[in-house]
Amino acid sequence: MPVEFLGIAGTNPASEVTPRTGGPLDLDYTARLARAHEDNGWDRILFAYHSGSPDPAQVAAYVASRTERINLVVAHRPNVAYPTLTAKTFATLDHISGGRFEVHVITGGSTADQAAEGDFLAKDDRYGRTREFIQILKLAWTSDHRFDFAGEHYRFEQFVADIKPLQQPRPRISFGGSSAAAYAVGAAEADIFALWGEPLAGTREQLATIDAEAARAGRSDRPTTQIAFRPILAPTEELAWEKAGSILGRIKDVQAGGVPISTRLRSKSPENAGSQRLLKAVAEGERHDRALWTAPTGLTGGGGNSTALVGTPDTVAAALLDYYDLGIRIFSARGYDIYDDAIDFGRYVIPLVRSEVAHREQQTRKELAS
């Protein structure tokens, strides 16, 4: 299958290098950023979620009215709404967007941020709830008959949704995590399994685990796999690494200024296995493989999507193709200067990757036909 590219649907210009100076929801910026992705070759944008964020589903509905093509990936936590209501909400959004909706289900990696919204389940129990939640979404979106559900976390009788998604059979469901419980749930239930950007060896290890769990769940296929990086681009390698050093200094300046970029709650020591794996990569060195750089990860405490790919567009494209060769088919990328980097990555990296993937697919077809 061809590659896809996922960007970020930020609601204000803040990032690790840019402290927030205005409110959390700048609608003009939100629309311009979405258009920057749509006009520069991206396939999808993610509307993120944390306990204090603007509601991503409503922001996505707003963006749907100001875009024509790009898919809208809405992050959602199972603890914040009952799955039958969520199924109707998202089916409605699929109609509003003309069939451009997808959902990214977040189990929750921060106990503090979960507790801020009244969720006190233990981590592994949260994964059990996520499994049931995804199962219910699938049923609600595809069943024309009333059905019951009796699980550990959800129970209801005789539900049927009058509104179904435009997309058939249903919108895609993505999921992320790197613990044993996460692998089991995501490999069994998700259409897309999202990973953070580790060195090639660690990514290869995770893909093998996902394959094994998918087989254990009785799936004949593996979820499409997605990986996330922070691209740092420049016309030459030297300039790219100078830019990387400047970004590190800007992160330190923002941290020293004490102005938060959001109201997200995080523990000082990350609880989630994905961040712990990233910090392990940091301990093994700042530079890995062709272009992977972990210094920002160490500085931000392993917080989420934080490993960078540094270099010219050719170098970064080649690095992404190294992951393509492992089986990755969706690349998530978010720069530090979010708006400008979305344009640059779209103009200079996405065409290189697409062209090489198309060439490889053509070669494969020729070899199969001979």
Side-chain angles (χ1 to χ4, degrees):
M1 63 175 285
V3 290
E4 297 179 62
F5 292 90
L6 170 70
I8 191 71
T11 59
N12 61 76
S15 75
E16 295 90 338
V17 301
T18 306
R20 198 174 82 193
T21 56
L25 181 57
D26 179 337
L27 289 176
D28 177 65
Y29 175 82
T30 300
R32 286 191 295 109
L33 181 60
R35 291 294 317 190
H37 284 88
E38 179 162 273
D39 294 342
N40 288 281
W42 298 76
D43 302 287
R44 311 155 75 226
I45 48 175
L46 172 68
F47 296 80
Y49 186 96
H50 63 82
S51 62
S53 67
D55 177 42
Q58 294 188 63
V59 178
Y62 169 79
V63 168
S65 70
R66 283 152 179 81
T67 53
E68 289 80 42
R69 177 191 58 80
I70 202 156
N71 276 19
L72 313 172
V73 185
V74 176
H76 182 82
R77 285 185 185 165
N79 65 297
V80 296
Y82 209 73
T84 50
L85 171 63
T86 304
K88 293 183 295 180
T89 299
F90 288 162
T92 304
L93 181 52
D94 196 51
H95 280 258
I96 289 172
S97 66
R100 292 186 284 136
F101 164 79
E102 300 178 30
V103 61
H104 179 65
V105 180
I106 303 174
T107 301
S110 166
T111 298
D113 208 51
Q114 296 292 128
E117 294 189 294
D119 182 13
F120 297 95
L121 275 186
K123 182 182 174 185
D124 283 356
D125 292 331
R126 293 201 296 266
Y127 279 109
R129 178 177 60 193
T130 294
R131 182 192 292 270
E132 292 183 12
F133 186 89
I134 294 174
Q135 291 171 343
I136 292 166
L137 281 187
K138 292 175 181 177
L139 286 168
W141 284 341
T142 58
S143 177
D144 292 324
H145 304 286
R146 294 189 177 276
F147 64 92
D148 302 339
F149 191 91
E152 182 179 351
H153 302 280
Y154 300 109
R155 180 183 174 186
F156 54 85
E157 297 176 352
Q158 294 296 289
F159 175 79
V160 66
D162 189 26
I163 185 165
K164 302 290 194 301
L166 284 178
Q167 297 177 71
Q168 293 298 314
R170 57 173 176 77
R172 290 191 295 183
I173 298 170
S174 59
F175 167 96
S178 297
S179 66
Y183 292 134
V185 172
E189 302 292 346
D191 302 304
I192 297 167
F193 201 119
L195 303 171
W196 285 331
E198 295 187 16
L200 290 165
T203 302
R204 187 181 296 110
E205 173 189 89
Q206 291 209 79
L207 294 176
T209 302
I210 294 167
D211 278 342
E213 290 294 338
R216 186 173 293 115
R219 289 183 67 160
S220 58
D221 61 336
R222 179 179 78 193
T224 301
T225 45
Q226 170 184 305
I227 198 164
F229 298 104
R230 309 296 293 270
I232 300 175
L233 304 173
T236 68
E237 298 296 321
E238 182 180 3
L239 288 174
W241 284 105
E242 285 181 10
K243 183 177 178 181
S246 173
I247 284 171
L248 211 60
R250 292 169 67 192
I251 294 173
K252 292 175 182 177
D253 289 344
V254 170
Q255 291 177 338
V259 180
I261 64 172
S262 78
T263 57
R264 184 187 306 270
L265 285 170
R266 287 186 60 219
S267 304
K268 290 184 179 180
S269 297
E271 307 161 56
N272 58 307
S275 290
Q276 292 166 8
R277 289 180 64 96
L278 292 185
L279 289 176
K280 180 176 179 291
V282 172
E284 293 169 352
E286 284 193 1
R287 296 195 188 187
H288 299 261
D289 305 320
R290 190 188 298 268
L292 187 69
W293 187 48
T294 65
T297 307
L299 199 57
T300 57
N305 177 14
S306 56
T307 51
L309 292 177
V310 183
T312 65
D314 284 327
T315 295
V316 171
L320 292 174
L321 288 162
D322 290 338
Y323 288 89
Y324 176 86
D325 289 338
L326 295 184
I328 301 292
R329 292 298 179 266
I330 302 176
F331 295 110
S332 172
R334 171 168 58 96
Y336 287 95
D337 295 298
I338 297 174
Y339 180 85
D340 291 340
D341 288 345
I343 294 172
D344 286 347
F345 187 88
R347 286 180 177 174
Y348 303 120
V349 177
I350 288 178
L352 293 174
V353 177
R354 289 200 198 281
S355 176
E356 178 59 23
V357 168
H359 173 71
R360 293 183 185 189
E361 291 182 341
Q362 184 180 39
Q363 290 297 111
T364 299
R365 286 193 293 271
K366 286 182 179 178
E367 290 170 4
L368 291 174
S370 62

